[in-house]
Amino acid sequence: MKSLPLFTVLASAALASSGFAADGKSLGYTTTPMIPGSKWHVHDGDRPQPKIVTPGTESTQEQAGTAPSDAVVLFDGKDLSKWKASNGGGEPQWKVENGYAEVHGGDATTKDEFGPDVQLHVEWTAPVPGVGSGQGRGNSGIFFYGRYEIQVLDCYENPTYPDGQATAIYGQTPPLVNASRKPGEWQTYDIVFNGPRFKDGKLETPAYATILHNGVLVQNHTQLTGSTPHQQVGTYTEHPEKGAIRIQDHNNPVRYRSLWIRELKPVDSGS
Ligand code: MG
């Protein structure tokens, strides 16, 4: 495709942001009714244009997916420079080779913090052969704010308590269905996590999680009742709106490859 001169591109972008198309015509309407609760008319051409994002590539069994252009890449199969060991702050002792990182020697935590609303993409695979049973087989986990666990577990022909299955809000809500692949096959989690909001030390809005497991919806805007401890009922205690992502070492050599995260901004925020 022939590329457009830069000034044409810039002029088009400027026109779009001012509510006019390149031919000078309005992009929408200002004679239409107002959308209730907003400052925009129905089909308002002056409303901020959504930011342009270049999508990444889908993963296959052979190939890790790649991140969209506005994501923070947490791990691309090469190094763990975005991570620290949870038990000391140094480099995680996980084994990095062949485009994946294998859990070893403790949890890993992101150096940066994210929130309160994020989209997290995770690719992982359970150990082969599937050794152990129940919670002892291919167990890991994705923790938001260090306290809300989305379970990672080899749940292929491996029964366990439902609120501890893969993609369960651990100890709270089982997945809608079990969409697990076999051990050794790469699996994806796409998690939209809305962190809780606190005001004056009290919970104002609880956390919610929406999760696709291998492309199948398994958590549909599920409300969290608090943190996710083992054998106890979790509670909410105030924490900042941004937090690190932690991946659990449960003494099973689960492997991870493409990991990326996007902070979600409200519509019309212009960013
Ligand atoms: Mg776990």
Side-chain angles (χ1 to χ4, degrees), residues 124-137:
W124 67 278
T125 186
V128 179
V131 176
S133 64
Q135 295 289 304
R137 183 168 136 176

Side-chain angles (χ1 to χ4, degrees), residues 194-216:
N194 306 115
R197 268 67 162 181
F198 298 90
K199 194 172 183 187
D200 302 326
K202 292 203 175 102
L203 180 70
E204 188 177 48
T205 311
Y208 291 89
T210 298
I211 307 175
L212 296 162
H213 184 190
N214 299 324
V216 179

Side-chain angles (χ1 to χ4, degrees), residues 39-54:
K39 59 179 181 178
W40 307 109
H41 293 268
V42 174
H43 314 314
D44 200 322
D46 290 334
R47 195 167 180 170
Q49 291 287 323
K51 194 175 90 173
I52 292 169
V53 170
T54 305

Side-chain angles (χ1 to χ4, degrees), residues 108-262:
T109 302
T110 57
K111 291 177 181 173
D112 293 327
E113 299 186 330
F114 307 94
D117 300 311
V118 297
Q119 174 187 0
L120 176 67
H121 176 80
V122 176
E123 297 180 19
W124 67 278
T125 186
V128 179
V131 176
S133 64
Q135 295 289 304
R137 183 168 136 176
N139 192 334
S140 180
I142 312 291
F143 285 81
F144 292 86
Y145 300 92
R147 67 191 76 189
Y148 309 112
E149 183 183 10
I150 307 301
Q151 177 68 303
V152 171
L153 190 75
D154 178 1
C155 281
Y156 184 82
E157 298 180 349
N158 177 36
T160 186
Y161 44 84
D163 68 19
Q165 286 197 14
T167 69
I169 315 298
Y170 188 71
Q172 297 181 19
T173 311
L176 294 167
V177 295
N178 179 353
S180 298
R181 295 191 199 280
K182 291 179 183 172
E185 293 185 2
W186 287 96
Q187 312 203 44
T188 59
Y189 281 11
D190 288 286
I191 306 169
V192 176
F193 196 89
N194 306 115
R197 268 67 162 181
F198 298 90
K199 194 172 183 187
D200 302 326
K202 292 203 175 102
L203 180 70
E204 188 177 48
T205 311
Y208 291 89
T210 298
I211 307 175
L212 296 162
H213 184 190
N214 299 324
V216 179
L217 185 71
V218 291
Q219 296 286 354
N220 182 9
H221 198 58
T222 304
Q223 182 178 324
L224 277 71
T225 56
S227 55
T228 58
H230 183 51
Q231 296 187 326
Q232 291 176 42
V233 173
T235 56
Y236 280 108
T237 50
E238 188 174 15
H239 58 74
E241 287 202 342
K242 286 184 186 288
I245 308 295
R246 177 160 63 87
I247 301 185
Q248 183 184 51
D249 175 6
H250 205 278
N251 296 316
N252 297 151
V254 172
R255 293 172 180 173
Y256 290 90
R257 55 180 194 187
S258 178
L259 291 158
W260 51 259
I261 191 166
R262 301 174 61 239

